[in-house]
Amino acid sequence: ERRQRTKTKCVIMSTNPFDDDDLPPPRHIGRSTNPFGDEDDITPPLHHIGSGGGGGGPSAIIGERSSNYNDTPTSTVPSPPLNSGSMSQSAFLNSGGGDASMFGPSSSSSMDNNESSWQDLGDLPYRRVRLYSDVHWGQTKKKRQHMKNSSQKSGGATAQSNQEQHDSSSSSTEEQFGLSWYPKSYVETVRAQQNLGDDRTALSRLLSTTTTTLVAGCPNGGPIAAVTVPLSGGGGAESGFGMRSTVRIMNNAGVLLSSIPFPPRDLALYVPSSDSRIPLHVAPGDILAIGFTSRCVLAIVLRDSLALCYDLLGNPVLPPFYALSHAKGHASPNRGAGNHGGMDLMEARIFEGGLAVLGADMNAAVVELLDEFDDPSYADGADVSSRRIVPSIPPRTTDHPPLASMDDPSTSKAAPSPFSLAPPPHYAIVTPLPTGMFARSKRFAYRCIAVLPRQYAPSRRPELFLSTSDGSVVVSEMNPSTSPDDGFTDVDCRSRIGGSANGLPPSPVVSMAFAPNGRFLACFTASSVLTVVSANFESKVLEFDARSGSTSSPRSMGWCGEDSVVLHWKNLGVLMVGPYGDWLRFPCDDVAAVAASGAGGSGNGSEAYLVPEIDCCRVVGSSSVEILQRVPPGTADLLRIGSIAPGALLLDASDAFDSGSSNADEAARSITRREGLLEEAILGCVEAAVGEFDVTVQKRMLRAASYGLHFACKDESYRSESPGRPSPEAVAFVDVSRKLRVLNALRRPSTGFAMTSLQYDSVMPQGVVARLVAAGRASLAASISEYLKLGRRVSDYARAMKAAAFVSSTTSSLQQGSSMTDSQIAEQAIRIIRGEEKGSTKLQVKGAMPLSSGMYASVALAAHRAGRKGVADLLIMLEQSPTDKVHALLAIGSYADAAAVACRARDPDLIHMTMFAYEQGLSNNEERKSLYFSGIINKFPIEAVNMFTTFYSRFGGLHGGDDKSSINILLRRQKHADAGLKMAKKALTLRSTPTSGENDRGKEKVAALQEASTIFDLGGKDCAFQKTCTDEQIALIADQEQLRRSYGSMEVAPPSSSLTSTIMSILKYGAADPRSAHRLQADADRIAKKYKVPEKRQWHVKVRALSESGQWAQLRNLLDTRAKPPIGIKPFALAAIKGRQGQVEIMHYISRMTDKSDGEDRYDLFCEAGMWKKALEESVRLGDGRKVANVRSMCNSPDIQRLCDKYL
């Protein structure tokens, strides 16, 4: 068993645990020396809040407890038994961490006593740091600067002035209460009905009972998003809230980055099957959840599973889509989507890689939000049931979207660009999971969901965890189609979660949260028991009973780093539970909010929203932003009271030196007596400095490290380790100094990134630059990239975004009467892109380092969106990358110029992309195709026109399509012969369909041929021959139809037959109708004469037709009509031979061949008929020995062979 022990804390007692009136105002540090910001920016107000003391501890939630505890208490507060894992209601309500003074340094506290601002969670010291105080949420940067200047002039602001500032900062249609915005009409109605007058505190509490404010934080210290919605759902007249609200994205200092009106304008769902857009009717009450992914994408999930995705500037990155499509007959009502609607949801969870939803029918879906930096093969390996959501292609519009708004998916069709092998900037993979079928088979329901990110899952894909109504958890994989049992696993943890091991009945889990490292899962049950288990449910780490403190579920639950779980209850504050059941309570009183409201209560009802991070937990209040963080081990070792760590001794020596004490030198030299101790002390001070938020403390620790470096440089043994090169300690000192400068610049209120050192390392400097650009802070991003020397590609990108921001800002200057011309703006933008000094008057063109591709194109796009077309034209001329230049020109709408660039690059993919984009950019009406063809032919280069013609000529008629497009193209290009031949070929290849008969097909063929004749007629003399042939074919079709009607049979002139085939079919029909043989002969002669069939050809056709139809008498009569036929007699004899006639019939024709020149033909015919004796006689008559030898070799008769030998 674990030992029972008590510990003491350094506190100052207070009679009221919720009274924070003694809390001192936040201390403002002086002007910053940071090189990244404006001179008038002040470093963020910092406030170390907490209580207790303690030393370092294990970094994970599982670990051995330390039996030694160094602490020097001044007063004691007994703590609950450390192995109880529970708390009493009185202890929970009266804890508050001790006294209000424990949550901030008192007026008499000094910087040396930093441990007094800590609290111990077992062996782990924690601190509460206020990063931003007196936050006015939603204020613009200009208004914040005005308010700061006003407060500096007045020397402070009273509660009344704060109230006036608040009222002035609110919009004309909304009234603000902290992070909540309400329609003014709604607020006035509630105030009048309840007779509240000017009591804003009572009014705020009353409004909070009918509405809720959803707040989400971007990971790694990113911006905050907030939206107020009615609790009744839907909104409108029944709730009185109204049909509109606003989603605001702000930095941690309250500065407004963007605002998204909800519902968005022209919100519609695109249906590819019908190529239509269905308007969607939603209201603020339909919002179920909001949240950020790790890629800074804001996801808004509605109650019918409709998902909206935006970037930090409020621009949509994906078209609206349903995460969970409804089953037929179960559509969410009143959405306007008909059979294309979504399923009503029970819960939605946004995680770092996307979002997950649980429907009312117990089915679930996971949406992975990916971007161009993800491996394309990952999306290819998704389940076969998944679907992909890609950005839309924007239509051509006259207005100019704001900066960084590449397209507007809400008003465009969701059709991806063809032949695009690269992934789009943002796309989503929606994977439906048949969890409802599994739940029905097991006869339980689901209560809540959690998602294990893919980087921590064994399958390297997200895993969905669903808690069941019988107290277990089901794990669902992302490949249900190929996994055994559809990928579902019931972990059967009923006996391990919710206190079941201690005799409590199984209770369902109502909230789950994964640790940042993915190793542990926190589960809160309906019986108010918190259980922490490993992600594979093999071991239970913690079980904490909170029933005595609260019987309701917490409003939010998350992790504070990897060592503790934080839970928030309304009116109770934040509870932190650590290893072995240790706990701390942090009240959520907001002094500034209470003062602003004019109330003097405890403030238990003030707002508090948790934002879990990888190493801390942000607590967002109505007028402040704080973090709960485990004190870094290096800082704990350095600042612990009575610490004898090398870093602490060096810090004391540095402080003594700064104060002028004579003991400083001796204290420092005492560290150098032991080898390696000085280096450890320097690194300890450097490591502690990077974990601090107060600039004064940072400088103090860096001064201590610098003080130690001076002694290290004087040590000969230390210098000999790396002669001529900086020591590792010096390198670490410089790196940390650079890092701190960047972090302090990020934490300034104008930027408002509440980023810690560990978060900075997790995002990496390149990620910080990308986040700053996404948040609209391109100037700071460019400065940081240059300062940290992040590489040419990153620096070029940051400078290009800075230039884009400059060009975009000139729009407001133009409205204010700025005298800058387009050439001056373009010249200044080029200087920014090239990183030239501001004072230079001429551009340094020669000798300049080549820029990365796409820089000028991106700035040109920004200029175009800002309405500076002249600037865009000047900048885009400098772009050297054909691909980026073509994309920019297409976005601008210069399709012909884009085609010219693509043709010069000789890139067929780019050429085709320009043609496709030009087609998509035209208005969707009847004249669209005509305008498309004429524009391609008249405006595009000849290479593009040729490719365009070839494409439609080869692929225009595929899959049952017609060739009208290619024919129209040829006509527009004045190629009448090719167009007519294309039309004639189309007519001759027409085939009958099941719904149309031969008559209809004949009419269509004649109409097509007549159109071809008309086309040939347009060609004049060059197409005279083609026109004559086409007209004759039309006449032949008419004659064929007349013959069929005359004889009453299709065989006499089958459709689609040629002239020769028609004559043959007429003659062959004589075998079927012998009585009409003479008339058929006359019709055949008439057709041959009409179409000028040559006589020899006509005789050949007659011989073939009569022989094939077996009309041998008619064939004899045909021969008898002429003494010497035009084709000779040989064709007749050959026809008899091929018709397998007897020797008499064959000799009848051969005997007519009496000329001397017919000897060779007679010999060949005898050989063909197998009459070898006649062939031998003929060869002897000709006197040709080779023919005799040939007869001997081919004949099998011995008698004839002996005769051949005789003649040979």
Side-chain angles (χ1 to χ4, degrees), residues 842-997:
K842 294 184 179 180
L843 293 176
Q844 302 294 330
V845 179
K846 295 183 178 180
M849 182 179 295
L851 297 173
S852 302
S853 61
M855 298 299 101
Y856 291 106
S858 60
V859 182
L861 283 176
H864 174 73
R865 289 189 290 265
R868 293 282 192 173
K869 189 177 183 302
V871 179
D873 294 339
L874 293 173
L875 291 174
I876 208 167
M877 292 173 58
L878 301 176
E879 180 59 51
Q880 299 298 321
S881 171
T883 302
D884 296 312
K885 194 170 185 177
V886 167
H887 281 83
L889 288 170
L890 292 179
I892 291 174
S894 300
Y895 301 103
D897 295 338
V901 173
C903 291
R904 285 197 297 269
R906 299 182 179 275
D907 191 331
D909 291 337
L910 290 179
I911 297 175
H912 184 272
M913 185 178 65
T914 58
M915 295 186 293
F916 183 81
Y918 178 58
E919 183 180 13
Q920 294 295 320
L922 297 174
S923 57
N924 194 5
N925 52 30
E926 296 180 355
E927 299 180 356
R928 176 180 181 178
K929 183 166 289 188
S930 177
L931 294 175
Y932 176 50
F933 290 156
S934 61
I936 292 289
I937 295 171
N938 298 329
K939 298 178 181 180
F940 279 42
I942 187 62
E943 295 86 354
V945 176
N946 291 335
M947 181 178 177
F948 179 73
T949 306
T950 304
F951 173 80
Y952 272 95
S953 298
R954 294 185 178 181
F955 304 106
L958 290 179
H959 308 293
D962 54 30
D963 297 320
K964 290 184 178 179
S965 299
S966 59
I967 294 173
N968 290 337
I969 295 171
L970 293 172
L971 287 176
R972 292 176 184 274
R973 297 187 64 187
Q974 302 295 318
K975 293 188 175 183
H976 301 95
D978 295 338
L981 290 175
K982 191 80 174 178
M983 194 68 191
K985 183 179 180 181
K986 172 189 172 183
L988 296 176
T989 56
L990 281 176
R991 296 181 180 179
S992 59
T993 61
T995 58
S996 64

Side-chain angles (χ1 to χ4, degrees), residues 110-177:
S110 64
M111 192 62 67
D112 296 352
N113 198 18
N114 272 355
E115 192 181 1
S116 63
S117 65
W118 300 346
Q119 284 184 278
D120 282 334
L121 187 66
D123 291 341
L124 306 180
Y126 275 79
R127 61 185 178 183
R128 183 178 181 180
V129 183
R130 178 166 294 177
L131 295 179
Y132 303 95
S133 299
D134 194 21
V135 176
H136 297 272
W137 296 104
Q139 63 182 344
T140 61
K141 189 174 181 181
K142 292 182 178 180
K143 187 173 288 294
R144 178 189 171 276
Q145 183 68 27
H146 175 72
M147 293 173 61
K148 182 172 64 174
N149 296 336
S150 300
S151 63
Q152 291 176 353
K153 292 179 180 179
S154 60
T158 61
Q160 183 177 1
S161 64
N162 288 337
Q163 177 69 27
E164 294 175 355
Q165 291 176 359
H166 163 73
D167 293 338
S168 63
S169 64
S170 61
S171 64
S172 58
T173 60
E174 292 180 310
E175 189 165 348
Q176 179 182 0
F177 293 84

Side-chain angles (χ1 to χ4, degrees), residues 5-337:
R5 64 185 179 91
T6 60
K7 58 182 179 179
T8 59
K9 298 181 179 179
C10 180
V11 298
I12 302 175
M13 296 302 295
S14 173
T15 57
N16 185 357
F18 301 107
D19 186 8
D20 286 350
D21 291 341
D22 296 333
L23 191 67
R27 295 177 292 105
H28 290 266
I29 311 301
R31 293 187 178 272
S32 171
T33 58
N34 198 305
F36 302 122
D38 301 331
E39 295 181 357
D40 57 348
D41 282 322
I42 306 299
T43 54
L46 305 174
H47 213 166
H48 292 269
I49 305 177
S51 67
S59 60
I61 198 167
I62 305 178
E64 296 294 333
R65 295 177 59 89
S66 174
S67 59
N68 298 325
Y69 195 80
N70 297 326
D71 204 357
T72 307
T74 59
S75 62
T76 60
V77 176
S79 65
L82 296 181
N83 61 349
S84 64
S86 63
M87 60 179 175
S88 65
Q89 185 175 7
S90 60
F92 178 68
L93 294 177
N94 295 329
S95 63
D99 185 84
S101 301
M102 299 163 61
F103 294 94
S106 62
S107 57
S108 61
S109 64
S110 64
M111 192 62 67
D112 296 352
N113 198 18
N114 272 355
E115 192 181 1
S116 63
S117 65
W118 300 346
Q119 284 184 278
D120 282 334
L121 187 66
D123 291 341
L124 306 180
Y126 275 79
R127 61 185 178 183
R128 183 178 181 180
V129 183
R130 178 166 294 177
L131 295 179
Y132 303 95
S133 299
D134 194 21
V135 176
H136 297 272
W137 296 104
Q139 63 182 344
T140 61
K141 189 174 181 181
K142 292 182 178 180
K143 187 173 288 294
R144 178 189 171 276
Q145 183 68 27
H146 175 72
M147 293 173 61
K148 182 172 64 174
N149 296 336
S150 300
S151 63
Q152 291 176 353
K153 292 179 180 179
S154 60
T158 61
Q160 183 177 1
S161 64
N162 288 337
Q163 177 69 27
E164 294 175 355
Q165 291 176 359
H166 163 73
D167 293 338
S168 63
S169 64
S170 61
S171 64
S172 58
T173 60
E174 292 180 310
E175 189 165 348
Q176 179 182 0
F177 293 84
L179 278 163
S180 302
W181 281 266
Y182 305 94
K184 281 193 174 181
S185 58
Y186 182 64
V187 174
E188 294 301 330
T189 301
V190 174
R191 181 184 284 116
Q193 290 178 352
Q194 302 297 328
N195 296 324
L196 297 178
D198 296 333
D199 190 354
R200 292 180 57 84
T201 303
L203 180 60
S204 176
R205 291 178 179 175
L206 184 59
L207 290 173
S208 64
T209 60
T210 58
T211 62
T212 183
T213 299
L214 304 178
V215 177
C218 189
N220 299 308
I224 304 294
V227 60
T228 303
V229 299
L231 288 174
S232 60
E238 63 274 8
S239 64
F241 186 84
M243 295 298 296
R244 303 198 67 83
S245 185
T246 303
V247 181
R248 290 174 171 84
I249 303 178
M250 305 156 284
N251 67 12
N252 289 273
V255 178
L256 182 67
L257 298 180
S258 63
S259 58
I260 306 170
F262 188 89
R265 184 184 62 180
D266 299 332
L267 179 63
L269 181 71
Y270 175 70
V271 182
S273 58
S274 60
D275 193 19
S276 60
R277 297 173 66 250
I278 302 177
L280 301 176
H281 307 290
V282 298
D286 295 327
I287 299 179
L288 179 61
I290 64 174
F292 286 95
T293 67
S294 60
R295 304 288 175 88
C296 300
V297 175
L298 173 63
I300 303 176
V301 184
L302 275 57
R303 297 185 184 274
D304 61 347
S305 80
L306 185 68
L308 308 174
C309 300
Y310 299 89
D311 60 13
L312 295 182
L313 296 180
N315 303 309
V317 298
L318 287 175
F321 64 93
Y322 284 103
L324 193 61
S325 300
H326 69 86
K328 187 174 182 180
H330 295 82
S332 178
N334 301 326
R335 295 293 184 268

Side-chain angles (χ1 to χ4, degrees), residues 607-737:
E607 301 170 310
Y609 305 93
L610 303 181
V611 181
E613 300 282 9
I614 59 175
D615 62 337
C616 64
C617 179
R618 267 187 290 169
V619 181
V620 181
S622 57
S623 62
S624 65
V625 175
E626 304 169 342
I627 64 169
L628 304 177
Q629 183 190 40
R630 176 190 170 187
V631 180
T635 303
D637 293 339
L638 202 66
L639 300 180
R640 184 187 298 118
I641 297 176
S643 173
I644 58 173
L649 298 178
L650 181 60
L651 182 63
D652 291 340
S654 175
D655 292 342
F657 178 80
D658 292 340
S659 62
S661 174
S662 59
N663 298 327
D665 188 71
E666 182 61 28
R669 293 187 181 279
S670 63
I671 305 174
T672 61
R673 294 192 182 102
R674 182 177 174 184
E675 184 178 356
L677 203 61
L678 180 59
E679 292 82 350
E680 182 181 352
I682 295 172
L683 293 177
C685 291
V686 170
E687 180 184 355
V690 79
E692 290 298 318
F693 298 91
D694 194 328
V695 178
T696 305
V697 179
Q698 295 172 3
K699 291 181 178 180
R700 178 193 174 200
M701 294 179 177
L702 289 179
R703 279 197 301 268
S706 177
Y707 185 69
L709 285 173
H710 284 290
F711 280 91
C713 292
K714 297 178 181 179
D715 190 352
E716 294 183 359
S717 61
Y718 181 83
R719 293 198 306 267
S720 62
E721 294 179 0
S722 56
R725 299 177 60 186
S727 63
E729 293 78 19
V731 173
F733 180 86
V734 173
D735 292 342
V736 166
S737 299

Side-chain angles (χ1 to χ4, degrees), residues 16 18-21 205 587-590 594 599-606:
N16 185 357
F18 301 107
D19 186 8
D20 286 350
D21 291 341
R205 291 178 179 175
C588 294
D589 302 350
D590 198 326
V594 173
S602 63
N604 287 337
S606 61

Side-chain angles (χ1 to χ4, degrees), residues 323-325 364-366 383 385-387 430-435 477-478 480:
L324 193 61
S325 300
V366 176
D383 190 70
S385 62
S386 63
R387 54 193 172 96
V430 183
T431 305
L433 302 174
T435 53
E477 297 180 359
M478 292 294 292

